[in-house]
Amino acid sequence: MSQLCKIVPERCIACGLCAVYAPEIFDYDEEGIVLFAQEPEAHQQFIPEAKQDVVLNAYKKCPVRAILLES
Ligand code: SF4
């Protein structure tokens, strides 16, 4: 089942952890603020099952809850 992932760039403190744990999903803008690697303009994205473990890890590591998950 797909999972919906949302990002809240206003909360992001540019720590870089999410892209360490899920580099195929998360990337940064020029100020280090989170965005989706494949869809830089989007604030939400469906995560395929094969990537849900790494995204869950990134979600847990984000210190400011700038990554949200909904199933
Ligand atoms: S882990 Fe959270 S605070 Fe750190 S870069 Fe990613 S979204 Fe931003």
Side-chain angles (χ1 to χ4, degrees), residues 11-19 28 32 34 58 61-64 66-67:
R11 290 187 192 166
C12 177
I13 57 169
C15 75
L17 283 175
C18 55
Y28 318 113
V34 66
K61 299 292 178 185
C62 178
V64 293
I67 297 170

Side-chain angles (χ1 to χ4, degrees), residues 3-51:
Q3 183 175 54
L4 184 63
C5 177
K6 297 182 179 181
I7 52 174
V8 187
E10 298 79 23
R11 290 187 192 166
C12 177
I13 57 169
C15 75
L17 283 175
C18 55
V20 170
Y21 286 93
E24 294 158 32
I25 304 295
F26 302 109
D27 201 351
Y28 318 113
D29 69 11
E30 63 278 2
E31 293 175 339
I33 301 299
V34 66
L35 47 74
F36 286 115
Q38 308 301 325
E39 267 184 293
E41 303 302 321
H43 283 183
Q44 61 180 41
Q45 184 173 297
F46 282 103
I47 307 298
E49 213 165 319
K51 299 289 179 209

